[in-house]
Amino acid sequence: MDDKKFTIGILTSGGDSPGMNPCIRAAVRAAAENNAQVIGVMNGYEGLINGEFRPLGARDVGGILQRGGTILQTRRSERFLEKHFQREAIRNMNGAGMDGLIVIGGEGSLRGAHALAEQGVKVIGLPGSIDNDIWGTDIAIGVDTAMNTIMDAVDKLRDTASSHGRAFLVETMGRGSGYLAVMAGIVTGAEMILIPEVPVTVKEVAKSVDDAYTRGKTHAIIIVAEGASVKIADLAKALDDMDVGFSTRVTILGHIQRGGSPTAYERMLASRLGVRAVEAILAGETDMMVGVQGRDLALVPLTEVTGRTRPVRPEYIEMAHTLAR
Ligand code: F6P
């Protein structure tokens, strides 16, 4: 009699994002509820290639709900782009008795998931990236926590900016997307937001800061997305050279945005996605990502998700500018 339980592999890949741990926990426990078992793959696709596996039972994921990062570790894998290593990974999965795989990560990681699905592996992807640039989902795991981290940091910077009458240039992450910068601009009341989607020159920005000073602003917060057409160091230099009224300070928030305890919203989102991924894989679905659409979760084909970028909604860009007056 074959009493082998359906076995699901799970990995986190690419940049980590707060919420990955609650998602892993939810998947493991939902699997247990459905009489399936989970094997954790360490170090993303690198661990799949190397066969770095560890069984994950319900008790193994206790106490991780509130922890940032990922207990499975994550890597960016160049090797996994090569067919030869993908085949090696599939061999390892078969050897470990895996019947399916859940991949939590950004667009590059979901591309890897699709490559496996094309070779017959049952794969479900989950969107995990603070950048919120993944097509097919309103929001990804990590975005809400990162936003709250940025908001907290910028609120603090505003305190000191206003005490000293300074302009603060604050760089947010997001790779080629201005999402975090736009939303951060709105929720912190930034005076200016520079994003890749709306290219500007250093001169134009310096002129606007000068105008803001002349209009009577007592300090200024300028959020600069890391992918913006203007680099923060060049801008700081230009503001100093041009004497725009304010003296300038630069803060690069950096990887602090990727850490921290997931927010309540994040834990809920990650838990829902983890449970839904297990349900989908047990129902025989493959080559799909579970996305958030409105209040609901929906399966989106990975072929639609990969090679595309979720745009920032133009009305938010407009609103950010309106409110920055
Ligand atoms: O994709 C998430 C992200 O944090 C981007 O916002 C950023 O450009 C990149 O990863 C940084 O990557 P790394 O951690 O490899 O430096």
Side-chain angles (χ1 to χ4, degrees):
M1 197 183 81
D2 182 14
D3 60 353
K4 177 186 174 298
K5 286 185 176 179
F6 193 96
T7 304
I8 305 169
I10 186 165
L11 64 82
T12 49
S13 164
D16 61 349
S17 53
M20 283 179 162
N21 278 332
C23 188
I24 295 164
R25 170 182 178 271
V28 168
R29 295 200 170 163
E33 175 71 18
N34 286 284
N35 202 32
Q37 62 189 14
V38 175
I39 295 179
V41 179
M42 302 303 296
N43 302 312
Y45 289 118
E46 283 294 305
L48 209 56
I49 296 168
N50 299 335
E52 298 167 51
F53 302 149
R54 61 178 262 212
L56 284 181
R59 295 284 70 76
D60 299 315
V61 290
I64 67 168
L65 181 65
Q66 74 283 10
R67 282 169 53 190
T70 160
I71 59 160
L72 295 177
Q73 307 272 297
T74 182
R75 294 288 182 276
R76 299 192 190 281
S77 174
E78 288 293 322
R79 291 199 297 166
F80 201 70
L81 296 172
E82 293 175 41
K83 193 78 177 227
H84 160 71
F85 287 112
Q86 293 172 7
R87 228 183 359 244
E88 205 54 33
I90 295 173
R91 236 170 104 96
N92 289 334
M93 288 182 65
N94 290 336
M98 282 183 211
D99 303 297
L101 181 71
I102 295 173
V103 171
I104 312 169
E107 195 271 337
S109 309
L110 297 171
R111 239 182 299 139
H114 175 59
L116 287 174
E118 280 193 317
Q119 292 165 71
V121 177
K122 278 200 172 12
V123 190
I124 294 292
L126 293 178
S129 167
I130 64 163
D131 301 342
N132 213 22
D133 59 351
I134 303 171
W135 181 271
T137 189
D138 293 349
I139 192 155
I141 293 170
V143 177
D144 187 64
T145 307
M147 273 308 311
N148 277 281
T149 299
I150 298 169
M151 184 174 74
D152 183 54
V154 176
D155 284 350
K156 287 175 175 152
L157 291 173
R158 185 180 289 283
D159 289 344
T160 176
S162 72
S163 304
H164 284 264
R166 285 173 170 158
F168 265 79
L169 305 176
V170 186
E171 186 182 282
T172 52
M173 275 189 167
R175 210 180 288 271
S177 166
Y179 180 89
L180 284 177
V182 168
M183 303 311 258
I186 294 171
V187 302
T188 64
E191 274 65 34
M192 209 174 289
I193 299 140
L194 309 180
I195 55 172
E197 292 83 349
V198 184
V200 284
T201 64
V202 165
K203 262 201 172 143
E204 285 166 345
V205 181
K207 169 86 174 52
S208 309
V209 178
D210 197 328
D211 288 350
Y213 184 81
T214 313
R215 283 205 314 277
K217 288 258 183 192
T218 54
H219 62 278
I221 299 285
I222 301 153
I223 310 271
V224 186
E226 66 175 340
S229 58
V230 163
K231 293 299 148 218
I232 200 165
D234 299 338
L235 185 56
K237 185 169 179 320
L239 294 186
D240 280 344
D241 290 350
M242 285 176 65
D243 182 14
V244 290
F246 301 112
S247 75
T248 308
R249 292 292 185 272
V250 171
T251 302
I252 296 175
L253 295 179
H255 287 79
I256 197 171
Q257 296 159 95
R258 289 236 300 261
S261 179
T263 60
Y265 174 89
E266 198 81 78
R267 296 179 197 191
M268 189 67 200
L269 171 72
S271 300
R272 289 175 74 205
L273 289 172
V275 170
R276 187 71 185 88
V278 168
E279 286 170 0
I281 219 158
L282 293 179
E285 297 285 357
T286 183
D287 209 7
M288 296 279 181
M289 179 190 79
V290 185
V292 181
Q293 295 182 357
R295 294 170 71 91
D296 299 319
L297 300 182
L299 290 179
V300 188
L302 283 173
T303 45
E304 281 181 27
V305 172
T306 52
R308 292 166 96 168
T309 306
R310 177 187 187 279
V312 183
R313 289 170 66 158
E315 62 264 39
Y316 287 150
I317 299 178
E318 206 168 304
M319 184 175 156
H321 287 302
T322 305
L323 299 183
R325 293 175 71 81

